[in-house]
Amino acid sequence: MMVAEAGQSWLIFWGHFHPMLVHLPIGMFFIAGILQFFSKQTSENHEIIVRILIWTTVFSILSAAMGWSLAQSGEYDPEALQIHQWLGISTCGLSAVLAFAMRSGMNPRPTNTLFILGLTCLTITGHYGGNLTHGSDYLTASLPGSARKMLGMKEAEAERKEVPKITNLPEAIVYTQLVKPLLTQKCTSCHNDQKQKGKLRLDTPDFILKGGEDGPIISAGKPLDSELIKRLLLDENDEHHMPPKGKTPLTENEIALLHWWVQHGADFTKKVAQLPADEKIKKVLTAYTKMEETQESPVFKLTIKAANEADLERIRKHGLLANPISKDQNFIEVNAINAPRVTSKELADLRAIQEQIVRLKLGNTCVGGDFIQEIAAMPLLIHLDLNHTKMADKDLEELKNMAYLESINLVGTQISDRGLVHLAKIKSLKRAYLWQTRVTEKGILALKKINPALTVKSGFKGKWPLEVDSTQMVLAK
């Protein structure tokens, strides 16, 4: 039995190399296609194409074998996986046929047809691979509303089942309005209907109760015996910690909410008022639902002119998303999610729409202090996301005069307590996300002493049971 389990582990281990290797034969096949269609048909070029196709076939076979190994984990939607698998095998076969045909001197016309078929097959294979990894809507999730309408697609928001807004906290359904949105935001990207890490789905009550490959993840009434909670409390460097490294961790209040829900039965229908709640959890619930009660930023009461469409298109050519936040407003959100290599040089084009930008998301880019002055010059900026960037303590000083900045995300940066001194000078700031930084508990408390209304989220560092202090931050005893 142990030998079988070890063999399965080795299979999945080698399978994890599939995403790394698969891009090599993809690139090689496309290079061969470019040379075939756009280079002179000389004997030398012909031989180069044949050699590329031979190596493409070799690496395709290795990649397919690793893909099969990865599939043994059982973490992916079987239907999409099967389509992806057979398309990949077909692409591998077409590469081998092309190499043999060209080496044998086949007529260029059928060879070109095979190339077109292979490139088409490869593109569709890649699409299904993206579906398996990122979800079925990964291509269209950020598509601008105008483009969706032109293509006859529904608005992205309309495709999602809306969560009832909390207007009366005691009457709110705990799972539907508190727990489910939390799981959707932090967990279901890896545990959904198409991708099930550890054979676990967290998108419906039935699957939550079913658990994963190691059995149930919830022990009703016993949160510290529940895998759902235990994994959240592990050291972030532990390989079993959830969410894994690179994913946004749960905050203290979010963990406290799940702990409370499981402790009182993990019921999917009960309301807040039906579950026992001491003063500690009441403060957590108040802090957790505070965003439902906050007033809209005064920025949205302003009337501004629309951004020039030509300026927006120039920005989008850099891979940036730059779209109005709603149909009836001219405020713009800029997101670099598809442009991780964007630099300050390309971002300089944002000057043309700086008066319309209210949300700027530059997380996981190479942006550093050389762009901070450009950010400070955005007069209506409300939300600023700089997670996993090269921002340093001294750079934050440039933001001190921003009139409307309410939220700043500095997760995964080198910011320390020195940087918090500059954050304290931003009078409009309401939320700061600081986990995986160099800030200390002492620095956070000093910051909140200057600005008591500021909510600081720095990741769970305490021990259970939880204590909640007057600042609504969950801390260890």
Side-chain angles (χ1 to χ4, degrees):
M1 184 71 175
M2 291 180 64
V3 173
E5 290 179 357
Q8 180 79 356
S9 297
W10 275 110
L11 270 179
I12 297 172
F13 169 77
W14 289 114
H16 286 161
F17 287 88
H18 172 72
M20 179 183 72
L21 183 66
V22 73
H23 296 93
L24 181 58
I26 290 173
M28 293 173 73
F29 198 100
F30 271 98
I31 289 173
I34 291 170
L35 291 174
Q36 174 70 11
F37 290 109
F38 300 105
S39 66
K40 292 182 179 180
Q41 297 301 311
T42 63
S43 58
E44 184 179 354
N45 284 347
H46 184 87
E47 183 62 26
I48 290 173
I49 295 172
V50 170
R51 290 184 181 182
I52 291 175
L53 288 171
I54 291 172
W55 283 110
T56 299
T57 303
V58 171
F59 285 114
S60 294
I61 292 171
L62 288 173
S63 179
M66 290 177 178
W68 176 82
S69 298
L70 185 59
Q72 304 314 299
S73 66
E75 296 174 352
Y76 301 95
D77 174 53
E79 184 177 346
L81 179 62
Q82 190 172 32
I83 295 173
H84 176 68
Q85 172 183 299
W86 285 108
L87 283 171
I89 292 172
S90 299
T91 304
C92 181
L94 282 168
S95 177
V97 169
L98 268 168
F100 177 78
M102 293 190 70
R103 175 61 63 88
S104 302
M106 179 183 281
N107 189 284
R109 182 170 293 181
T111 301
N112 289 344
T113 302
L114 284 173
F115 257 116
I116 293 172
L117 182 61
L119 291 168
T120 303
C121 190
L122 184 60
T123 301
I124 300 173
T125 304
H127 171 66
Y128 274 95
N131 283 355
L132 290 169
T133 305
H134 305 293
S136 58
D137 65 343
Y138 81 106
L139 280 179
T140 60
S142 300
L143 194 66
S146 57
R148 299 181 73 90
K149 186 176 181 180
M150 183 176 66
L151 295 171
M153 300 169 64
K154 294 180 181 179
E155 288 293 329
E157 294 80 6
E159 293 176 353
R160 304 186 186 101
K161 187 176 181 180
E162 289 193 9
V163 177
K165 185 176 180 180
I166 298 174
T167 55
N168 184 347
L169 181 59
E171 291 298 307
I173 299 173
V174 178
Y175 171 73
T176 304
Q177 294 173 266
L178 294 171
V179 174
K180 184 177 180 179
L182 169 56
L183 295 177
T184 299
Q185 182 183 17
K186 298 290 181 70
C187 306
T188 58
S189 62
C190 292
H191 303 287
N192 55 62
D193 59 337
Q194 296 188 10
K195 184 179 181 182
Q196 299 101 39
K197 285 286 185 181
K199 298 183 180 179
L200 173 66
R201 284 179 60 174
L202 295 173
D203 53 334
T204 69
D206 289 342
F207 284 110
I208 292 173
L209 291 174
K210 180 181 178 182
E213 62 184 358
D214 296 322
I217 60 168
I218 291 178
S219 179
K222 301 177 180 178
L224 296 183
D225 291 335
S226 302
E227 282 298 313
L228 177 67
I229 304 300
K230 288 164 67 176
R231 295 292 183 98
L232 299 175
L233 300 179
L234 291 172
D235 184 272
E236 64 179 23
N237 294 316
D238 192 296
E239 63 176 327
H240 299 298
H241 177 268
M242 289 293 145
K245 269 193 171 183
K247 299 285 186 178
T248 303
L250 276 70
T251 65
E252 296 99 326
N253 282 359
E254 289 169 342
I255 296 174
L257 173 69
L258 290 177
H259 183 279
W260 173 68
W261 176 63
V262 174
Q263 183 178 20
H264 295 290
D267 191 278
F268 294 91
T269 59
K270 287 186 177 180
K271 300 176 182 178
V272 170
Q274 293 176 294
L275 299 186
D278 56 21
E279 289 303 313
K280 299 173 185 177
I281 196 62
K282 284 180 181 178
K283 290 179 180 179
V284 172
L285 288 170
T286 301
Y288 185 75
T289 58
K290 190 177 179 181
M291 60 183 178
E292 298 285 349
E293 303 166 359
T294 54
Q295 293 185 346
E296 189 178 63
S297 170
V299 164
F300 297 117
K301 297 179 181 179
L302 303 176
T303 301
I304 63 170
K305 64 180 181 179
N308 187 293
E309 191 60 34
D311 292 331
L312 292 175
E313 285 302 317
R314 185 168 61 254
I315 291 165
R316 289 167 184 154
K317 287 181 180 178
H318 300 313
L320 298 166
L321 300 176
N323 302 307
I325 62 172
S326 67
K327 293 180 179 178
D328 56 348
Q329 293 181 312
N330 295 322
F331 302 106
I332 300 292
E333 174 181 292
V334 175
N335 194 328
I337 189 171
N338 295 328
R341 296 183 181 179
V342 71
T343 66
S344 299
K345 182 179 179 180
E346 291 86 18
L347 290 172
D349 286 337
L350 294 180
R351 294 173 189 165
I353 62 167
Q354 66 179 16
E355 294 184 1
Q356 286 85 18
I357 297 176
V358 294
R359 298 173 186 162
L360 181 62
K361 299 180 179 181
L362 300 178
N364 295 292
T365 65
C366 299
V367 173
D370 55 339
F371 188 66
I372 199 70
Q373 289 185 347
E374 301 282 358
I375 295 174
M378 298 175 182
L380 304 182
L381 191 63
I382 301 171
H383 302 289
L384 176 60
D385 187 349
L386 297 172
N387 78 86
H388 296 93
T389 60
K390 297 180 179 180
M391 290 295 168
D393 291 328
K394 59 182 177 61
D395 302 324
L396 300 182
E397 185 175 11
E398 296 289 340
L399 305 178
K400 62 183 179 182
N401 294 322
M402 300 198 75
Y404 297 107
L405 186 64
E406 295 181 0
S407 173
I408 186 166
N409 184 341
L410 295 166
V411 173
T413 63
Q414 293 299 305
I415 300 302
S416 69
D417 292 350
R418 293 182 180 179
L420 299 189
V421 175
H422 302 308
L423 288 185
K425 298 176 183 177
I426 308 174
K427 296 179 180 179
S428 58
L429 198 61
K430 297 179 180 178
R431 294 176 298 280
Y433 301 85
L434 300 170
W435 54 74
Q436 297 174 8
T437 62
R438 296 163 59 192
V439 301
T440 66
E441 199 65 47
K442 182 178 179 181
I444 292 174
L445 291 174
L447 174 62
K448 288 189 68 65
K449 187 175 181 180
I450 298 172
N451 185 354
L454 179 63
T455 298
V456 178
K457 299 187 177 183
S458 58
F460 180 76
K461 297 182 179 69
K463 296 180 179 179
W464 293 78
L466 295 174
E467 291 286 348
V468 185
D469 69 9
S470 60
T471 64
Q472 296 183 355
M473 290 179 62
V474 183
L475 302 172
K477 279 185 177 182

